Amino acid sequence: MCEFVHPRQLKVSKSPWGPEDEIGRLNLITPESRAKVMASIDTSKTYDLSVKYFMGMPSWVAAGDPPFQIWMTHTPKGNTNDDLMSATQEGKELISYSGDAISMYTHCGTHIDTFNHFGYRGKIWNEFNEEQHLGSRHWNKCGPELYPIIVARGVLLDVAGAKGVDMLPDCYGIGKDDLQETMEKQGLSIQEGDVVMIRTGRMTVWPNREKFSNNSPGLNIEGAEYLAGLGAMILGGDNIALEQAPSPEKDNYFPVHTYLFSEVGIPIIEMLWLEDLAKEKIYEVGFIGKAMPIVGATGAPLQPIVFPFK
Amino acid sequence: MCEFVHPRQLKVSKSPWGPEDEIGRLNLITPESRAKVMASIDTSKTYDLSVKYFMGMPSWVAAGDPPFQIWMTHTPKGNTNDDLMSATQEGKELISYSGDAISMYTHCGTHIDTFNHFGYRGKIWNEFNEEQHLGSRHWNKCGPELYPIIVARGVLLDVAGAKGVDMLPDCYGIGKDDLQETMEKQGLSIQEGDVVMIRTGRMTVWPNREKFSNNSPGLNIEGAEYLAGLGAMILGGDNIALEQAPSPEKDNYFPVHTYLFSEVGIPIIEMLWLEDLAKEKIYEVGFIGKAMPIVGATGAPLQPIVFPFK
Amino acid sequence: MCEFVHPRQLKVSKSPWGPEDEIGRLNLITPESRAKVMASIDTSKTYDLSVKYFMGMPSWVAAGDPPFQIWMTHTPKGNTNDDLMSATQEGKELISYSGDAISMYTHCGTHIDTFNHFGYRGKIWNEFNEEQHLGSRHWNKCGPELYPIIVARGVLLDVAGAKGVDMLPDCYGIGKDDLQETMEKQGLSIQEGDVVMIRTGRMTVWPNREKFSNNSPGLNIEGAEYLAGLGAMILGGDNIALEQAPSPEKDNYFPVHTYLFSEVGIPIIEMLWLEDLAKEKIYEVGFIGKAMPIVGATGAPLQPIVFPFK
Amino acid sequence: MCEFVHPRQLKVSKSPWGPEDEIGRLNLITPESRAKVMASIDTSKTYDLSVKYFMGMPSWVAAGDPPFQIWMTHTPKGNTNDDLMSATQEGKELISYSGDAISMYTHCGTHIDTFNHFGYRGKIWNEFNEEQHLGSRHWNKCGPELYPIIVARGVLLDVAGAKGVDMLPDCYGIGKDDLQETMEKQGLSIQEGDVVMIRTGRMTVWPNREKFSNNSPGLNIEGAEYLAGLGAMILGGDNIALEQAPSPEKDNYFPVHTYLFSEVGIPIIEMLWLEDLAKEKIYEVGFIGKAMPIVGATGAPLQPIVFPFK
């Protein structure tokens, strides 16, 4: 049983790993924990849990965040008509150079959220604060560039599967009973240090922007407290924001996020592609991933690679 | 010995994997090849070969490509003064929401180049062409979203180390002799399917934009042909563009890129952080990575995770 | 009566102003034409015909174009926590520096469309073509940086007002009869060189994105041919795209645009704020404006300043 | 003689126009002041004082602000290979649709600075403050969308011309004596409500990024106080930041900006193209302009149109 505080208190916690800590429960990762996981995997198969990035993909836009964009910065034909490149005209015609650029909200596609993404009253995990630690462009604390290589046991909790549905109903809140029922049906339990991945079935409507994004079923605060109490290191979901939407609380529009980041130091992974694992009933995996190391960001793309456990 | 075409012909090749092939030598990855690599690794240690993304980092800007940018889309205090969010004022004050967005050239930071990045005379690998396969926003062929999970043997060729220098001289071209000398000193050889990573020592001046970016030492076309002939699946470098700069050829400003992508189907990984491996003289590793799956892109961030071989 | 070709032919025209011409009927502007207009205005009053740029404003996004974005690049507090600026800490605290950046589709807000925005079969006005004149980043022909200072007679045709409605019905196509009826009621006629501004009343639902953007009433091809025949130099509208939406033609989704740009060399101004003029029944004005000179762009912001005629 | 406070005090002022005022001396513009100017102009000639926006143009990048970018969002050929548009394939081939987008620091090209751009210790003009008036994306006070149509007397002070040089020396600080000397040679004086435009000759090296941007000659604080005292409504320059660079003050890197915005309520226009006026020795003009109305921005593109005085 995990020793961390878990009943919700609505204020940020000091980290049990000390006043400099910026990564919370990711401190549970050690060479030994990694080696133990690596010793358990069946290396004959591997799965990718990430979704593609493409024009028009579902993403957070309701609060003004920019949609995913890609555009060409160089095209072969364009180069021959340009003076952007210092090259001979023969060179421009021989060499077909194409380049492109992207822009995106950092919470687009399969990604990990960091602790500076949500806090309480101007403070985040470990009492870092906006006054001293927010620069013009990004937070100077708790960014994903500090995250270690994640090698951990991953556990898929296929809640939709346990209930025999393709997708949980809109707005459904997954609580303790739902999680226990799922664990029982799947015959497994959560251990300290696990990456717990919750399947609502929402990816069955991907990439329909309307259907995927709004009123998502997801974890409720009871479920979050329960998993935090069991020692989960990271919580993941196949939906847009892990948690139930809209929030059942009047003045907290993301109670699960604020709780996990600010009170117990658990990062969240969103928009995981869990369909392949669910179909094959693979519930225990070796989870390997490295967040895109964007200094200070509130979130970062992450393409998890998993190997089933033996 | 690898059977693929390797002496340079200055025109695009048809793929030996058929007319639909978009990934070239990445076809060499199979469940068996992955399992073989995974069986060889020492799981007690792991290394991250990627660099961080930050404001002011070195990147391609000479031809007008945008520098890496991050910016806030929501700040805790800002939210309380905004009407971007539909939340109560109490909620805005309680919940400290921060969000950020990024924009970047897709060849920024540690990344993999895809075959649509360079071709000859309007065509790319396997004779896909600009006329039919370039959309308004991106190529419709050969994007990184098609790349499999890379699990392969990685070989570090520490050319700078073999020559006893911190960094090869500016503009130095690494040819067959340099590579053979390095392999001999390191006591290893290249095998079909390897991710070959060449260390020039350029990361010793990172992140100095001037010193890192211009006139980089790197692979020359002879070296590229040699490694392609040995069966390398991917070529990587610790410098900005793998190859020697400036190009020694008048009308081909990227001879190694065009050769590898268009003629032999070998992707390139650039700006690899090889300093830790070099310091510890770890030359053989299990290389694990999944490119950020940006549909159609010419390049994609990739954070390679490696485990030393036993 | 204007001598230009006007019945629609579905192919691009050579310019009557010669093979180098990139601005079409804007060639009608001369020192004399400007002075004549300036002599006619009542300088005691002036009106701004542009809309504001703000987060969430209506704009073209259905085809993947980016919505208007603004973000901070420097904040006073952020600067004190940053190392982006080379300034003393005392300086950062004393001097409260704020900066911001924007990104937008060039057809956002009140703007003028240029001839490279629409053409036929790879060619635009005056037979410039994609093959030779489109660079990687923008067209090299017909950009707004070439547009002269516009000083011209502006004529408001308040079609909605003439019909006694606040706004024309959704999808309504404004044809020759509607225009003639409006001119008769307003007691004026179109002259060669006029900026003709058509009011549908659509701005009465601004800035409601849904209501403003879709199924807009607007000019139909008959109306466009009629006004082109009368010698209009620029056509403007208070709606999102001047013309009736959706297009009544199966294979031409913007018949009025293609006709005006490619066949008769008439630029279009969209999202004009005509409410103030309409309310005061000011139908003849001196129209003064200079397009934001974005080299090669397909469109450019323009803030028209008008003075009523005496 | 102007009654406003002018000796520098290093703290923000309350506005003489009341606690709600966000536009400072632009309050001097009235229907009468405009009509008076319009009655003075020679309408036979007109001049554009703005520079073009293009890839690679000089702009502020030293502190991480993004350079001007333009890119295609639709190309005629690209559209035929895309599914971004809902159009028939025949339509995509017939209709050659091109679109483009831009991104830029708001202080790029010829533009006006607003009062939220610089303040003292977290406050700006009229004691608006960061705590209450800065949103996540932009300031909620003092944006350019509030600026009236500017019709005012413009006065060119050709300081370089008065001194008989093409360009003032690097870092030169223009003070009271230089301004008086120039006014005397030109035979004119400043009046309350004037747009005073100072020519350093810096545009003679445009668009050389190195030569134009760094160590610019410009106004010093003595000169700024002098012009403020004479009643100038707006100060403009042909250089990157109006004022002398680098700042001669240790802890105030922009003393003229902070003084003008925060203490006397005078906006600044930068990168004015004054070469044509200077060549023709046109020193008094009717200045007409409307800032791009970007809600809350710290700066906004402005294309001034001027007519010589009779």
Side-chain angles (χ1 to χ4, degrees):
Chain A
M1 183 60 69
C2 189
E3 63 200 305
F4 311 125
V5 170
H6 56 87
R8 193 156 63 129
Q9 56 194 358
L10 290 174
K11 59 176 189 171
V12 303
S13 300
K14 289 193 186 183
S15 171
W17 289 278
E20 300 304 316
D21 175 49
E22 305 182 38
I23 65 170
R25 291 200 186 177
L26 293 182
N27 282 294
L28 296 174
I29 298 173
T30 63
E32 293 70 33
S33 77
R34 285 189 185 119
K36 187 179 163 198
V37 169
M38 293 301 283
S40 308
I41 61 176
D42 169 3
T43 60
S44 68
K45 279 179 162 183
T46 182
Y47 297 84
D48 168 22
L49 305 189
S50 66
V51 296
K52 296 176 184 176
Y53 287 81
F54 56 94
M55 294 291 302
M57 68 187 292
S59 73
W60 287 105
V61 294
D65 295 284
F68 175 77
Q69 292 275 321
I70 181 170
W71 63 91
M72 300 304 294
T73 59
H74 297 280
T75 64
K77 177 55 71 180
N79 290 334
T80 68
N81 295 329
D82 267 351
D83 56 2
L84 288 170
M85 304 285 304
S86 54
T88 62
Q89 193 61 25
E90 288 70 19
K92 289 177 180 179
E93 282 166 16
L94 173 62
I95 304 308
S96 293
Y97 170 32
S98 297
D100 39 25
I102 57 170
S103 69
M104 51 182 270
Y105 187 39
T106 56
H107 301 267
C108 184
T110 309
H111 69 279
I112 193 163
D113 283 0
T114 67
F115 301 154
N116 56 38
H117 188 31
F118 279 97
Y120 291 119
R121 301 195 180 285
K123 291 186 181 169
I124 59 169
W125 173 248
N126 212 7
E127 302 190 343
F128 296 117
N129 62 77
E130 183 177 16
E131 181 75 9
Q132 295 169 285
H133 302 119
L134 178 63
S136 290
R137 294 305 195 87
H138 56 77
W139 277 86
N140 295 324
K141 292 290 176 187
C142 298
E145 79 280 9
L146 305 171
Y147 284 8
I149 294 171
I150 300 168
V151 176
R153 179 176 177 245
V155 175
L156 166 61
L157 296 183
D158 182 2
V159 182
K163 293 186 181 296
V165 297
D166 284 343
M167 184 170 74
L168 295 175
D170 270 22
C171 310
Y172 188 85
I174 299 170
K176 184 176 174 179
D177 286 352
D178 301 304
L179 296 167
Q180 286 183 328
E181 174 196 4
T182 304
M183 288 189 274
E184 271 166 38
K185 288 204 177 166
Q186 294 183 184
L188 48 68
S189 61
I190 302 303
Q191 300 163 11
E192 188 176 290
D194 281 351
V195 178
V196 180
M197 300 179 284
I198 296 166
R199 183 174 175 274
T200 65
R202 201 64 169 181
M203 275 291 165
T204 58
V205 297
W206 179 268
N208 182 307
R209 284 201 295 267
E210 292 299 311
K211 290 185 185 169
F212 182 81
S213 305
N214 302 324
N215 298 318
S216 182
L219 198 63
N220 67 22
I221 187 66
E222 181 198 77
E225 286 180 355
Y226 175 65
L227 292 172
L230 294 178
M233 180 173 72
I234 296 175
L235 294 187
D238 63 346
N239 55 349
I240 195 166
L242 178 67
E243 69 184 277
Q244 171 189 23
S247 167
E249 301 188 18
K250 179 172 163 290
D251 289 332
N252 188 336
Y253 49 92
F254 270 132
V256 172
H257 278 65
T258 47
Y259 168 69
L260 292 176
F261 298 160
S262 305
E263 303 191 39
V264 286
I266 293 180
I268 294 174
I269 302 178
E270 291 162 344
M271 290 181 265
L272 283 164
W273 181 258
L274 302 174
E275 298 308 289
D276 300 327
L277 296 184
K279 234 164 256 163
E280 303 190 31
K281 299 189 188 305
I282 298 170
Y283 301 126
E284 278 188 276
V285 296
F287 180 106
I288 300 177
K290 176 80 184 88
M292 188 174 161
I294 309 170
V295 172
T298 64
L302 174 70
Q303 289 77 45
I305 296 168
V306 304
F307 292 89
F309 265 29
K310 287 172 195 164
Chain B
M1 182 60 68
C2 189
E3 63 201 307
F4 311 127
V5 170
H6 58 88
R8 194 158 62 131
Q9 56 194 356
L10 290 174
K11 59 177 190 171
V12 303
S13 299
K14 289 192 187 183
S15 169
W17 289 278
E20 301 303 317
D21 174 50
E22 305 182 39
I23 65 171
R25 290 198 187 178
L26 293 182
N27 282 293
L28 295 173
I29 298 172
T30 63
E32 293 71 33
S33 76
R34 285 188 185 121
K36 189 179 161 198
V37 168
M38 294 300 281
S40 308
I41 61 176
D42 169 3
T43 60
S44 68
K45 280 179 161 183
T46 181
Y47 297 84
D48 168 21
L49 304 188
S50 66
V51 297
K52 296 175 185 177
Y53 286 81
F54 56 94
M55 293 293 301
M57 68 188 291
S59 73
W60 288 105
V61 294
D65 295 284
F68 176 76
Q69 293 273 323
I70 181 170
W71 63 92
M72 301 304 293
T73 58
H74 298 279
T75 64
K77 177 55 71 180
N79 289 332
T80 68
N81 295 328
D82 267 350
D83 56 2
L84 287 170
M85 304 285 304
S86 54
T88 62
Q89 193 61 24
E90 288 71 18
K92 290 177 180 179
E93 283 165 16
L94 172 62
I95 304 309
S96 294
Y97 169 32
S98 298
D100 39 25
I102 57 170
S103 70
M104 51 182 270
Y105 186 39
T106 56
H107 300 268
C108 184
T110 309
H111 69 278
I112 194 163
D113 283 0
T114 67
F115 302 153
N116 56 39
H117 188 32
F118 279 98
Y120 291 119
R121 301 195 180 286
K123 289 185 183 172
I124 59 169
W125 172 249
N126 213 5
E127 303 189 345
F128 296 116
N129 62 78
E130 184 177 16
E131 181 75 10
Q132 295 170 286
H133 302 119
L134 178 62
S136 291
R137 295 304 196 89
H138 56 77
W139 278 85
N140 295 323
K141 293 289 176 186
C142 298
E145 79 280 8
L146 304 172
Y147 283 8
I149 294 171
I150 300 168
V151 176
R153 179 179 176 243
V155 175
L156 166 62
L157 296 183
D158 183 2
V159 181
K163 293 186 181 297
V165 297
D166 284 343
M167 183 169 74
L168 295 175
D170 270 21
C171 309
Y172 188 85
I174 298 169
K176 184 177 175 178
D177 287 352
D178 301 304
L179 296 167
Q180 286 183 330
E181 175 196 3
T182 305
M183 288 189 273
E184 273 166 37
K185 288 205 177 166
Q186 295 184 185
L188 49 67
S189 61
I190 302 304
Q191 299 164 12
E192 187 175 291
D194 280 352
V195 178
V196 180
M197 300 179 285
I198 295 167
R199 183 172 174 273
T200 65
R202 201 65 169 180
M203 275 291 165
T204 58
V205 297
W206 179 268
N208 182 306
R209 284 201 296 266
E210 293 298 312
K211 290 186 184 168
F212 182 81
S213 305
N214 302 324
N215 298 317
S216 182
L219 198 62
N220 68 20
I221 187 68
E222 182 199 75
E225 286 180 355
Y226 176 64
L227 292 172
L230 294 178
M233 179 173 72
I234 297 175
L235 293 186
D238 63 346
N239 55 349
I240 195 167
L242 177 68
E243 68 184 276
Q244 172 189 21
S247 167
E249 301 189 17
K250 179 171 164 288
D251 289 333
N252 188 336
Y253 48 93
F254 271 133
V256 172
H257 277 66
T258 46
Y259 168 68
L260 292 176
F261 298 159
S262 305
E263 303 191 40
V264 287
I266 292 180
I268 293 174
I269 302 178
E270 290 162 344
M271 290 181 264
L272 283 164
W273 181 258
L274 303 174
E275 297 309 289
D276 299 327
L277 295 184
K279 233 163 256 164
E280 302 190 31
K281 299 191 189 304
I282 297 169
Y283 301 125
E284 278 188 277
V285 297
F287 180 107
I288 300 178
K290 177 79 183 89
M292 187 174 162
I294 309 170
V295 172
T298 65
L302 175 68
Q303 289 78 44
I305 297 168
V306 303
F307 293 89
F309 264 29
K310 289 172 194 164
Chain C
M1 182 60 68
C2 189
E3 62 200 306
F4 311 125
V5 170
H6 57 88
R8 191 156 65 128
Q9 55 195 356
L10 290 175
K11 58 176 191 174
V12 302
S13 298
K14 288 193 187 184
S15 170
W17 290 278
E20 302 303 316
D21 175 50
E22 307 182 38
I23 64 170
R25 290 198 187 180
L26 293 181
N27 282 293
L28 295 173
I29 299 173
T30 63
E32 293 71 33
S33 76
R34 285 189 185 120
K36 189 179 162 199
V37 168
M38 293 301 283
S40 309
I41 61 176
D42 169 4
T43 60
S44 69
K45 279 181 163 181
T46 181
Y47 298 84
D48 168 21
L49 305 189
S50 65
V51 296
K52 296 175 185 176
Y53 287 81
F54 56 93
M55 293 292 302
M57 69 189 289
S59 73
W60 287 106
V61 293
D65 296 284
F68 175 76
Q69 293 275 321
I70 181 169
W71 63 93
M72 301 303 293
T73 59
H74 297 281
T75 65
K77 176 55 72 179
N79 289 333
T80 68
N81 296 327
D82 266 351
D83 56 2
L84 287 170
M85 304 285 304
S86 53
T88 61
Q89 192 62 24
E90 288 70 20
K92 290 177 180 179
E93 282 164 17
L94 173 62
I95 304 309
S96 294
Y97 169 32
S98 298
D100 40 24
I102 57 169
S103 69
M104 51 182 270
Y105 186 40
T106 56
H107 300 268
C108 184
T110 309
H111 69 278
I112 193 163
D113 284 358
T114 67
F115 301 154
N116 56 38
H117 188 32
F118 279 98
Y120 291 119
R121 301 195 181 285
K123 290 185 181 170
I124 59 169
W125 173 249
N126 212 6
E127 302 189 344
F128 297 117
N129 62 77
E130 183 177 16
E131 181 75 11
Q132 295 169 285
H133 302 119
L134 178 63
S136 290
R137 295 304 196 90
H138 56 77
W139 278 85
N140 295 322
K141 292 290 176 186
C142 298
E145 80 279 9
L146 304 171
Y147 284 8
I149 294 170
I150 300 167
V151 176
R153 179 179 177 244
V155 175
L156 167 61
L157 297 183
D158 183 2
V159 182
K163 293 186 181 296
V165 297
D166 285 342
M167 182 170 75
L168 295 175
D170 270 21
C171 309
Y172 188 85
I174 299 169
K176 184 176 175 178
D177 286 353
D178 301 304
L179 297 167
Q180 287 183 329
E181 174 195 4
T182 305
M183 288 188 272
E184 273 166 38
K185 289 203 176 167
Q186 296 183 185
L188 49 68
S189 61
I190 303 303
Q191 299 164 11
E192 188 176 290
D194 281 352
V195 178
V196 180
M197 301 179 284
I198 296 165
R199 182 173 176 274
T200 65
R202 200 65 169 182
M203 276 290 166
T204 58
V205 296
W206 178 268
N208 182 307
R209 283 201 296 267
E210 293 297 312
K211 290 185 184 168
F212 182 81
S213 305
N214 302 323
N215 298 317
S216 182
L219 197 63
N220 67 20
I221 188 67
E222 182 199 76
E225 285 180 356
Y226 175 65
L227 293 171
L230 294 177
M233 179 173 72
I234 296 175
L235 294 187
D238 63 347
N239 55 350
I240 195 166
L242 178 68
E243 68 185 277
Q244 170 189 24
S247 167
E249 301 189 15
K250 177 172 162 291
D251 290 331
N252 188 336
Y253 49 93
F254 270 133
V256 171
H257 277 66
T258 47
Y259 168 69
L260 292 176
F261 298 159
S262 305
E263 303 190 41
V264 286
I266 293 179
I268 294 173
I269 302 178
E270 290 161 345
M271 290 181 265
L272 284 164
W273 181 258
L274 302 174
E275 298 308 289
D276 299 328
L277 296 184
K279 233 163 257 164
E280 302 190 31
K281 298 191 191 303
I282 298 169
Y283 301 126
E284 277 189 278
V285 297
F287 180 106
I288 300 178
K290 175 79 182 90
M292 186 175 162
I294 309 171
V295 171
T298 63
L302 175 69
Q303 288 78 45
I305 296 168
V306 303
F307 292 88
F309 265 29
K310 287 170 195 165
Chain D
M1 183 62 66
C2 190
E3 61 200 308
F4 310 125
V5 169
H6 57 88
R8 194 158 61 129
Q9 54 194 358
L10 289 174
K11 60 178 190 171
V12 303
S13 301
K14 288 192 187 184
S15 170
W17 289 278
E20 301 303 316
D21 175 49
E22 306 181 37
I23 65 171
R25 290 198 186 178
L26 294 181
N27 282 294
L28 295 173
I29 298 172
T30 63
E32 294 69 33
S33 76
R34 285 189 186 118
K36 188 179 163 201
V37 169
M38 294 300 283
S40 308
I41 62 176
D42 168 4
T43 60
S44 69
K45 279 180 162 183
T46 181
Y47 297 83
D48 168 21
L49 304 188
S50 65
V51 296
K52 296 175 185 177
Y53 287 81
F54 56 93
M55 292 293 302
M57 68 187 291
S59 72
W60 288 104
V61 293
D65 296 284
F68 176 76
Q69 293 274 321
I70 181 171
W71 63 93
M72 302 302 294
T73 58
H74 297 280
T75 64
K77 177 55 71 179
N79 290 333
T80 68
N81 295 328
D82 268 351
D83 56 2
L84 288 170
M85 305 285 303
S86 53
T88 62
Q89 192 60 26
E90 287 71 19
K92 290 177 180 178
E93 283 165 16
L94 173 62
I95 304 309
S96 293
Y97 169 33
S98 298
D100 39 26
I102 56 169
S103 70
M104 52 182 269
Y105 186 40
T106 55
H107 301 266
C108 184
T110 309
H111 69 278
I112 194 162
D113 283 358
T114 66
F115 302 153
N116 55 39
H117 188 32
F118 279 97
Y120 291 118
R121 302 197 181 282
K123 289 185 181 170
I124 59 170
W125 172 248
N126 212 5
E127 302 190 345
F128 297 117
N129 62 78
E130 183 177 15
E131 180 75 10
Q132 294 169 286
H133 302 119
L134 178 63
S136 291
R137 295 305 195 88
H138 56 77
W139 279 85
N140 295 322
K141 292 290 177 187
C142 297
E145 81 280 9
L146 304 171
Y147 284 7
I149 294 170
I150 301 167
V151 176
R153 180 179 176 244
V155 175
L156 167 61
L157 296 183
D158 183 3
V159 182
K163 295 188 181 294
V165 298
D166 284 343
M167 182 170 75
L168 295 176
D170 269 21
C171 310
Y172 187 85
I174 299 169
K176 184 176 174 178
D177 286 353
D178 301 304
L179 296 167
Q180 286 183 329
E181 174 196 7
T182 305
M183 287 188 275
E184 272 166 38
K185 288 206 176 165
Q186 296 184 184
L188 49 69
S189 60
I190 302 303
Q191 300 164 11
E192 187 176 290
D194 280 351
V195 178
V196 181
M197 300 178 284
I198 295 166
R199 184 174 173 274
T200 66
R202 201 66 169 179
M203 274 291 165
T204 58
V205 297
W206 179 269
N208 182 308
R209 284 201 295 265
E210 293 297 314
K211 291 185 184 167
F212 182 81
S213 305
N214 302 325
N215 298 318
S216 182
L219 199 62
N220 67 21
I221 187 68
E222 182 199 76
E225 285 179 356
Y226 176 65
L227 293 172
L230 294 177
M233 179 173 72
I234 297 175
L235 294 187
D238 64 345
N239 55 350
I240 195 166
L242 178 66
E243 68 183 276
Q244 171 190 22
S247 167
E249 302 189 15
K250 179 171 163 288
D251 289 332
N252 189 337
Y253 48 92
F254 270 132
V256 172
H257 278 66
T258 46
Y259 168 69
L260 293 175
F261 299 159
S262 304
E263 303 190 41
V264 286
I266 293 180
I268 294 174
I269 302 178
E270 291 162 343
M271 289 179 264
L272 283 164
W273 181 258
L274 303 174
E275 298 309 289
D276 300 327
L277 296 184
K279 231 163 258 165
E280 302 190 31
K281 300 191 188 303
I282 298 169
Y283 301 126
E284 278 189 278
V285 297
F287 181 106
I288 301 178
K290 176 80 183 89
M292 187 174 161
I294 309 171
V295 172
T298 64
L302 175 69
Q303 288 78 45
I305 296 167
V306 304
F307 293 88
F309 265 28
K310 288 172 196 164

